[in-house]
């Protein structure tokens, strides 16, 4: 897919993007303990970093519930970034080993396998 942006011309490989996203989703499902650890760590860091922005303890305590829920939302959104990076590396490895035509297929198989694993893990 070629994108013309005024003076620039970008070329995007849509199969690579789809394969990396499928791999990142499967890793996100498969490594649930790592996912929770990343979310808790980001949430803790956001709460700590935001504390330094307030000079008044009363103002900090008054707005605490709204800020903590907002930080939890941001942490859950940003927790996908490490999995996107790992998914890109997994997709790159599949493309090197099996060829470019297998990247999306293997990503879909990994998603199904990790989804079934996650369903089995939750039922116990």
């Amino acid at each position: 897919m070629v994108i013309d942006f005024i003076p620039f011309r970008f070329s995007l490989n849509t199969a690579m993007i789809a394969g990396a996203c499928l791999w990142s989703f499967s890793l996100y499902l498969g490594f649930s303990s790592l996912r929770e650890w990343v979310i808790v760590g980001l949430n803790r860091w956001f709460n700590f970093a935001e504390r330094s922005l307030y000079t008044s303890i009363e103002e900090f305590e008054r707005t605490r519930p709204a800020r903590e829920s907002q930080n939890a939302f941001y942490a859950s959104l940003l927790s996908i970034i490490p999995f996107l990076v790992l998914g890109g590396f997994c997709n790159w490895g599949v493309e090197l080993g099996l060829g470019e035509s297998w990247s999306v297929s293997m990503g879909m198989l990994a998603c199904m396998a990790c989804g079934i694993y996650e369903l089995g893990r939750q039922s116990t």
Side-chain angles (χ1 to χ4, degrees):
M1 180 165 105
V2 177
I3 298 174
D4 289 326
F5 182 69
I6 303 177
F8 305 107
R9 186 178 189 131
F10 297 105
S11 178
L12 297 175
N13 186 353
T14 54
M16 182 191 68
I17 294 170
C21 288
L22 285 169
W23 272 103
S24 66
F25 182 61
S26 66
L27 292 173
Y28 191 79
L29 287 176
F31 295 113
S32 59
S33 60
L34 178 64
R35 175 183 66 209
E36 293 300 322
W37 181 78
V38 169
I39 290 172
V40 167
L42 282 172
N43 193 16
R44 185 181 313 132
W45 186 80
F46 286 153
N47 288 334
F48 174 76
E50 198 166 34
R51 173 62 186 106
S52 65
L53 298 175
Y54 287 89
T55 57
S56 168
I57 300 235
E58 295 82 21
E59 181 68 21
F60 176 74
E61 292 298 329
R62 187 179 64 80
T63 60
R64 177 177 249 170
R67 283 182 296 99
E68 286 182 350
S69 63
Q70 182 181 13
N71 288 341
F73 174 72
Y74 288 148
S76 66
L77 279 180
L78 291 177
S79 69
I80 191 67
I81 291 173
F83 293 100
L84 281 173
V85 172
L86 291 174
F89 282 127
C90 288
N91 185 56
W92 178 65
V94 168
E95 284 184 2
L96 281 179
L98 297 175
E100 193 172 319
S101 63
W102 280 90
S103 63
V104 175
S105 299
M106 289 297 290
M108 289 173 59
L109 285 172
C111 279
M112 288 189 292
C114 289
I116 291 169
Y117 168 74
E118 182 68 18
L119 286 173
R121 188 189 66 80
Q122 287 180 358
S123 67
T124 58

